[in-house]
Amino acid sequence: MLHEMRMKSILNVLPLSLVMVAMSAAGFLFCKVDDDIVGQYVMWGVLGLLGAMGVFFVIRAVAGGYQTRVIKKLKDEGGTALQAAEEDYRRAREVCAGVKAGRTWLFCMRGAFSQIFRLDQIAWAYVHMTEKRRNGFAISKTYRVRVHMLNRTEEEIECKDENMCQVILKYLNDTLAGVFIGYSKELMQLYQSGNDDFMRLRREKEARSGESQAAEEA
């Protein structure tokens, strides 16, 4: 699991790192020396920093630096959580590109950083879209699945488009009886309040799902 995550991180950061190093090298190669010594040193400093950052990203990926949050989560679980997660990963099914689901964990390898989510601790998930505009026109959109956990923490899963978000949300909805799908202000207020109302709604949703499943099997 960790080995495959590390390889995915390397493949994800390598193109950008190569571009940064190439731009740095080209800058030094074609940069002309002029009378503005201060400006020249500033330019060299920027080019050197650009190249160093590109190399740093690759070194960090090779060293497994983008999996530290995964390792910390598993250590916090205690016991043999790492070995159990490795076994869960081997049996996991692919939900979509870069996302796999086992019996216990959801494994995400989108972008440089790897992520894992304990399925029974996912409380709520929905699409979060960010739109960049210029002169009143939308020039780009980024899509993420925002995941809220029962312990009031949240993370986001990078997605290439809205369809990928919907695939992930459908899997969570079909698999987890108590998870809420879709954003609402009322649900956000309950979730952030820290009282028992959110958990009460969760238990009611689980009960309804159990009744529906029993009726289908009858």
Side-chain angles (χ1 to χ4, degrees):
M1 176 189 71
L2 292 177
H3 174 71
E4 185 170 336
M5 286 181 172
R6 185 163 59 249
M7 293 304 297
K8 292 272 188 180
S9 294
I10 294 171
L11 293 176
N12 283 327
V13 305
L14 193 58
L16 177 60
S17 296
L18 289 176
V19 170
M20 294 172 72
V21 172
M23 290 176 62
S24 175
F28 278 113
L29 185 62
F30 296 105
C31 186
K32 295 182 179 179
V33 178
D34 53 32
D35 295 334
D36 185 4
I37 301 300
V38 175
Q40 198 74 43
Y41 282 141
V42 171
M43 178 61 69
W44 286 344
V46 171
L47 292 172
L49 179 61
L50 184 66
M53 287 176 62
V55 174
F56 170 76
F57 291 152
V58 174
I59 292 175
R60 184 179 184 183
V62 171
Y66 293 106
Q67 284 73 53
T68 53
R69 287 184 290 183
V70 171
I71 296 171
K72 184 181 184 303
K73 272 190 181 181
L74 295 174
K75 284 184 176 180
D76 290 343
E77 289 281 319
T80 58
L82 178 57
Q83 292 85 343
E86 292 277 5
E87 182 64 26
D88 198 41
Y89 182 82
R90 283 194 288 271
R91 299 180 179 181
R93 53 159 289 193
E94 185 174 78
V95 177
C96 56
V99 180
K100 291 185 176 182
R103 293 177 60 88
T104 305
W105 297 94
L106 183 70
F107 305 92
C108 301
M109 292 166 284
R110 303 285 307 168
F113 286 94
S114 302
Q115 298 166 283
I116 57 172
F117 303 86
R118 191 175 174 93
L119 289 169
D120 61 4
Q121 294 299 305
I122 295 177
W124 180 25
Y126 52 87
V127 177
H128 178 69
M129 187 271 288
T130 303
E131 184 178 76
K132 291 184 178 181
R133 304 181 69 87
R134 182 177 296 169
N135 299 325
F137 296 95
I139 58 174
S140 67
K141 295 180 180 179
T142 57
Y143 292 92
R144 294 177 176 86
V145 172
R146 182 167 288 178
V147 181
H148 294 268
M149 310 300 288
L150 292 177
N151 63 359
R152 299 298 190 275
T153 61
E154 65 178 71
E155 292 187 54
E156 292 182 336
I157 302 172
E158 293 185 12
C159 298
K160 68 177 182 179
D161 52 31
E162 187 176 7
N163 181 64
M164 177 175 284
C165 293
Q166 295 300 336
V167 169
I168 296 172
L169 293 180
K170 184 179 186 304
Y171 175 82
L172 296 177
N173 186 62
D174 293 346
T175 308
L176 307 176
V179 71
F180 292 99
I181 301 297
Y183 179 83
S184 76
K185 290 183 179 179
E186 294 78 10
L187 198 56
M188 178 62 79
Q189 290 173 350
L190 288 176
Y191 178 80
Q192 293 179 334
S193 67
N195 57 32
D196 294 332
D197 290 339
F198 184 86
M199 293 305 298
R200 175 179 54 78
L201 285 177
R202 178 181 171 88
R203 289 191 293 269
E204 291 175 357
K205 187 175 187 301
E206 288 176 333
R208 289 195 301 270
S209 297
E211 292 171 358
S212 298
Q213 185 176 358
E216 291 175 0
E217 294 175 352

